[in-house]
Amino acid sequence: MRGNDVIVRTGSKWLSFIIIMFSFFIFMSGHNNPGGGFIGGLMAAGALVLVAVAFGTKVLYRLLPLNYRLVTAAGLLIAVLTGVGSFIFDVPFLTHTFGIYHLPILGETELATATLFDLGVYLTVVGVTMTIILTIGEDV
Amino acid sequence: MVLLHIAILLPFAYAVLVPLLYKSIKRIHTGWFVLPIPVLLFLLISSHLGDVRQGIISSYSWPWIPSLGLEFTVYADGLSILFAMLITGIGSLVILYSIFYLSKTKEAIHQFYVYLLMFMGAMLGVVLSDNLIVLYGFWELTSISSFLLIAFWYEREKSRYGALKSMLITMFGGLAMLAGFVMLYGMTGTFSIRGIIADAAAVTGHAWFLPALILILLGAFTKSAQFPFHIWLPDAMEAPTPVSAYLHSATMVKAGIYLAARLTPVFGGTAEWFWLIMSFGLITLFWGSISAVKQTDLKAILAYSTVSQLGLIMSLIGIGSAALYYGYGTTSQPYVAAMTAAVFHLINHATFKGSLFMVTGIVDLETGTRDIRRLGGLASLMPITFTFAIIGAFSMAGIPPFNGFLSKEMFFSGVLNAARMDIFIMGTWGVLIPVIAWIASVFTFIYSFIFVFHTFTGKRKAGELPKVPREAPLGMLIPPAVLASLVVIFGLFPNLVSVSLIEPALASIFPQFVMPGEQFGVHITHWHGPTTEVLMTIGVVVIGGLLFWQFRRWQGLYGRLPKKLSLNALYDGGLRGLDRFSARVTRGYMTGSVRDYLVYIFGFMIAVVGYMLFRTDALRYIGQGSYAEITIYDAALAAVVMAAAIASLFARERIALIIFTGSVGYLVSLFFVLFRAPDLALTQMVVETVSVALFLLCFYHLPKLKQEVSSRRVRIGNLLISIGVGLIVTLTALAASGARLFDSVSEFYVQNSFELGGGHNIVNVILVDFRGFDTMLEITVLGIASLGIFTMIKLRAEMLNPPAALRGALHKRGERAASNTSDTDTAKRRRNHAGQ
């Protein structure tokens, strides 16, 4: 039973985008500033939950047809593969490296393998949070 | 040559083949295929006799676990050969007998022969092993195979009861014995029996001498059914009669005797060994013979008689061990004679008791009962069996010219010598020994006569017997015939045995007394003048005869003995009490209430950590660290957190509870802000939000919070425990922060975060780079948690509303469970449970 909550819906439209952007920002800047995969993932999940609360889960699924259990699995896989990747270079498991490169548009940019690992964390956290909340939410 | 190893392992190897033979060759009784094995082994072992007599002891060693000093060493000296010959010889006869005793169609005879072969191999292992641990292994194997054989007719409740009882008692003794063996190892540094005998002086003077002695004797006494552990033997009579004849008269029950004789060179010559073995043996002898008289079941008579005869042998070993006190010489001669009597009676007992059991089996099979009150007048119907019974029983009673008479005479001279002993604080009490021995012999005489004459003479009660009695088939008569003729031959020509078997056995019991190649001069004669022993025997015959004649007049005396005081009642009551006690203990603390378990956990934590804080004097570190200054923000925030925490205790509704705990969470994130942990603050904030939302989601569906009605005692207990935990944790934290011994590792991270990790956010670099492994596993934990929630909720939904196919299966399972309960056994068990 959903009332005429236009304000909520209009607000969430904007807010969820802003939150997603912010979560991305936090994720990217995590290496040098407060933030990282964990908190970024939680925030992204927060944005998705906002959509689900304002529009209902069906809308969320239509908007973003994702199986969040697969998102979790993908995140874990990325994290593990990042670690395994170090074997190729004959270094111990989960050895990271980084370098500063000159990229066409971005200019001086630091690229680190740790970011890939953090991406795994990010996806896992999104998947986990959404699985939990949607499972419980759909059940009741 | 490793013939002795083969001798031990052959029965085990052959046992594997027995079921195959049973399945593939149905026409021939499987026993015929088993029979060659013990015969072969008997011949093999007899071939050592000549060597042993010349003092050549064959010994072979196989490494088993050399690093632990465990070697599968076998050796054959006089004592081992004597026992091995008993085992294989009587084993052959018993297998021959069992071929006619057990039906090849009605019984699971393949199992029977597998167990029997297993037992034979294990028993050979016990007597031929030199290594104590190997000996122990075989010892337990005999217990297990005996357990299996007693419960051969496992569908009978009494068989199961008897098997369990014998198992519990002999295993108890076996474990005690193992402890004793380990102590012997501790004293001498070797597991080899010969090594220990060579180092006997180290044992006698050691502080562990007495404990080791008692523990080992516990093993010997339980196995050999000595008082008060004899109670398993009468109940083991539920086994098939060949098993009773073999295990419970001739071989397994003599394992304890073997052990006592084997370790006499180690422990012998001390007052403790002498007194324990001699007195327990005498008590067993006395009690067994008195109990045997009141039995009405033939096998029960024989069981108690076995108990009593084993006591006799045991007491003779005790008396004989005194010879080691004196050392070699004329003073020790009487005691060596006592040991001779022990060995001689051991052989005699195996022969006559084996034949008596076989006679019982024949009577049982031919008449359908073993109850002497229903038997009688069988002599004319079964004349051959009657003859064997007479020979066996007269030998057991100690009547000339059978071998029992000789060993009984030697026993009397042994106890008379013991009474004259002036060592081991014997004093005047020594006079009691011959008196007890004499009374026991009188009772032995009585039950032997009851056995024969109440079964075979008197009025024939043909109407009461389930079957028409007639003489047994020839094959069944051969084994008791062999044993009975041995009884006569050993009685008439005792020196056949003394030269071939007893002298080498004595040489291994008293290795100090003979030079290699020499022999003990054992000479057994029938008549050695009008001595006290002869007078005692005449007394036994006269008094015993009188008492037997008047048996009906005084047998009522036995009914006067209170049943509650019997050892069986003690055993049964003890087991029941143990059951009840453990059930009560378990019920007492396994309440099923989580609150109670938390009380145990927290109580344990308070006690252990508190004790350690006190014990190590850790509290002195409190206040020694360098503390940061407390700002007004810290104080204010702490006050608010405390207020929220305390408020949550008094919340009367869930929603309030959630809000209070949530506010504690947000305040903690403020603490993180205050203590400059932005990552933590962010995470804490979002996680708190998510968890509060989840709480709200779940608790929305729960019924309203109810005031829990709990007793004052419980509430005070909760209060005390939570105060205790808080106090302990606080004190530990304070003490730990005051006693910081090393610098923190964090300086490394601060300096190298950018150098090595390429990031300025130290926390993040630690999480993904320095200690990324932890993070990886943590996200795995998250993944598992989410899958767990998903499974729980989705599967629960399916169970609430199961699809049709699943519902049918569930229904069927329920039906099966219901039909199970109607089974009487299960129902009874359930009732027992409910009753407890």
PDB file of all heavy atoms in Angstrom, chain B residues 366-377:
ATOM      1  N   GLU B 366      22.054 -83.937  24.866  1.00  0.00           N
ATOM      2  CA  GLU B 366      21.300 -85.180  24.791  1.00  0.00           C
ATOM      3  C   GLU B 366      20.026 -85.151  25.627  1.00  0.00           C
ATOM      4  O   GLU B 366      19.100 -85.905  25.376  1.00  0.00           O
ATOM      5  CB  GLU B 366      22.180 -86.359  25.238  1.00  0.00           C
ATOM      6  CG  GLU B 366      23.378 -86.613  24.338  1.00  0.00           C
ATOM      7  CD  GLU B 366      22.969 -86.872  22.896  1.00  0.00           C
ATOM      8  OE1 GLU B 366      21.895 -87.440  22.663  1.00  0.00           O
ATOM      9  OE2 GLU B 366      23.729 -86.481  21.994  1.00  0.00           O
ATOM     10  N   THR B 367      20.016 -84.337  26.687  1.00  0.00           N
ATOM     11  CA  THR B 367      18.818 -84.315  27.521  1.00  0.00           C
ATOM     12  C   THR B 367      18.024 -83.032  27.351  1.00  0.00           C
ATOM     13  O   THR B 367      16.842 -82.994  27.644  1.00  0.00           O
ATOM     14  CB  THR B 367      19.183 -84.434  29.003  1.00  0.00           C
ATOM     15  OG1 THR B 367      19.958 -83.304  29.362  1.00  0.00           O
ATOM     16  CG2 THR B 367      19.960 -85.697  29.277  1.00  0.00           C
ATOM     17  N   GLY B 368      18.677 -81.993  26.916  1.00  0.00           N
ATOM     18  CA  GLY B 368      17.965 -80.731  26.734  1.00  0.00           C
ATOM     19  C   GLY B 368      17.997 -79.841  27.951  1.00  0.00           C
ATOM     20  O   GLY B 368      17.407 -78.762  27.941  1.00  0.00           O
ATOM     21  N   THR B 369      18.668 -80.263  29.013  1.00  0.00           N
ATOM     22  CA  THR B 369      18.745 -79.394  30.186  1.00  0.00           C
ATOM     23  C   THR B 369      20.091 -79.574  30.874  1.00  0.00           C
ATOM     24  O   THR B 369      20.784 -80.575  30.675  1.00  0.00           O
ATOM     25  CB  THR B 369      17.616 -79.688  31.178  1.00  0.00           C
ATOM     26  OG1 THR B 369      17.753 -78.814  32.277  1.00  0.00           O
ATOM     27  CG2 THR B 369      17.681 -81.118  31.667  1.00  0.00           C
ATOM     28  N   ARG B 370      20.463 -78.560  31.661  1.00  0.00           N
ATOM     29  CA  ARG B 370      21.685 -78.655  32.459  1.00  0.00           C
ATOM     30  C   ARG B 370      21.368 -78.532  33.936  1.00  0.00           C
ATOM     31  O   ARG B 370      22.245 -78.392  34.756  1.00  0.00           O
ATOM     32  CB  ARG B 370      22.656 -77.540  32.080  1.00  0.00           C
ATOM     33  CG  ARG B 370      23.218 -77.618  30.706  1.00  0.00           C
ATOM     34  CD  ARG B 370      24.384 -76.670  30.583  1.00  0.00           C
ATOM     35  NE  ARG B 370      24.061 -75.351  31.106  1.00  0.00           N
ATOM     36  CZ  ARG B 370      24.020 -74.245  30.373  1.00  0.00           C
ATOM     37  NH1 ARG B 370      24.269 -74.300  29.101  1.00  0.00           N
ATOM     38  NH2 ARG B 370      23.749 -73.084  30.932  1.00  0.00           N
ATOM     39  N   ASP B 371      20.078 -78.560  34.256  1.00  0.00           N
ATOM     40  CA  ASP B 371      19.668 -78.325  35.631  1.00  0.00           C
ATOM     41  C   ASP B 371      19.762 -79.642  36.400  1.00  0.00           C
ATOM     42  O   ASP B 371      19.083 -80.609  36.065  1.00  0.00           O
ATOM     43  CB  ASP B 371      18.229 -77.791  35.624  1.00  0.00           C
ATOM     44  CG  ASP B 371      17.852 -77.245  36.970  1.00  0.00           C
ATOM     45  OD1 ASP B 371      18.438 -77.697  37.970  1.00  0.00           O
ATOM     46  OD2 ASP B 371      16.985 -76.361  37.020  1.00  0.00           O
ATOM     47  N   ILE B 372      20.595 -79.692  37.454  1.00  0.00           N
ATOM     48  CA  ILE B 372      20.772 -80.972  38.142  1.00  0.00           C
ATOM     49  C   ILE B 372      19.510 -81.397  38.879  1.00  0.00           C
ATOM     50  O   ILE B 372      19.353 -82.546  39.233  1.00  0.00           O
ATOM     51  CB  ILE B 372      21.964 -80.959  39.127  1.00  0.00           C
ATOM     52  CG1 ILE B 372      21.899 -79.763  40.044  1.00  0.00           C
ATOM     53  CG2 ILE B 372      23.277 -81.048  38.416  1.00  0.00           C
ATOM     54  CD1 ILE B 372      22.915 -79.844  41.151  1.00  0.00           C
ATOM     55  N   ARG B 373      18.610 -80.474  39.119  1.00  0.00           N
ATOM     56  CA  ARG B 373      17.373 -80.874  39.791  1.00  0.00           C
ATOM     57  C   ARG B 373      16.474 -81.694  38.871  1.00  0.00           C
ATOM     58  O   ARG B 373      15.611 -82.429  39.315  1.00  0.00           O
ATOM     59  CB  ARG B 373      16.617 -79.634  40.272  1.00  0.00           C
ATOM     60  CG  ARG B 373      17.286 -78.979  41.471  1.00  0.00           C
ATOM     61  CD  ARG B 373      16.743 -77.610  41.718  1.00  0.00           C
ATOM     62  NE  ARG B 373      16.922 -76.752  40.556  1.00  0.00           N
ATOM     63  CZ  ARG B 373      16.657 -75.442  40.561  1.00  0.00           C
ATOM     64  NH1 ARG B 373      16.194 -74.869  41.642  1.00  0.00           N
ATOM     65  NH2 ARG B 373      16.846 -74.733  39.482  1.00  0.00           N
ATOM     66  N   ARG B 374      16.676 -81.559  37.576  1.00  0.00           N
ATOM     67  CA  ARG B 374      15.852 -82.312  36.632  1.00  0.00           C
ATOM     68  C   ARG B 374      16.595 -83.521  36.082  1.00  0.00           C
ATOM     69  O   ARG B 374      15.992 -84.380  35.446  1.00  0.00           O
ATOM     70  CB  ARG B 374      15.425 -81.409  35.477  1.00  0.00           C
ATOM     71  CG  ARG B 374      14.577 -80.244  35.951  1.00  0.00           C
ATOM     72  CD  ARG B 374      14.373 -79.228  34.864  1.00  0.00           C
ATOM     73  NE  ARG B 374      13.525 -79.735  33.802  1.00  0.00           N
ATOM     74  CZ  ARG B 374      13.375 -79.109  32.635  1.00  0.00           C
ATOM     75  NH1 ARG B 374      14.027 -77.989  32.400  1.00  0.00           N
ATOM     76  NH2 ARG B 374      12.568 -79.606  31.718  1.00  0.00           N
ATOM     77  N   LEU B 375      17.905 -83.557  36.299  1.00  0.00           N
ATOM     78  CA  LEU B 375      18.690 -84.671  35.777  1.00  0.00           C
ATOM     79  C   LEU B 375      18.779 -85.769  36.822  1.00  0.00           C
ATOM     80  O   LEU B 375      18.517 -85.555  37.999  1.00  0.00           O
ATOM     81  CB  LEU B 375      20.098 -84.190  35.412  1.00  0.00           C
ATOM     82  CG  LEU B 375      20.188 -83.227  34.236  1.00  0.00           C
ATOM     83  CD1 LEU B 375      21.556 -82.602  34.204  1.00  0.00           C
ATOM     84  CD2 LEU B 375      19.913 -83.972  32.940  1.00  0.00           C
ATOM     85  N   GLY B 376      19.226 -86.937  36.380  1.00  0.00           N
ATOM     86  CA  GLY B 376      19.421 -88.044  37.307  1.00  0.00           C
ATOM     87  C   GLY B 376      19.328 -89.362  36.564  1.00  0.00           C
ATOM     88  O   GLY B 376      18.660 -89.462  35.518  1.00  0.00           O
ATOM     89  N   GLY B 377      20.076 -90.352  37.083  1.00  0.00           N
ATOM     90  CA  GLY B 377      19.981 -91.695  36.543  1.00  0.00           C
ATOM     91  C   GLY B 377      20.409 -91.829  35.100  1.00  0.00           C
ATOM     92  O   GLY B 377      19.867 -92.637  34.350  1.00  0.00           O
TER      93      GLY B 377
END
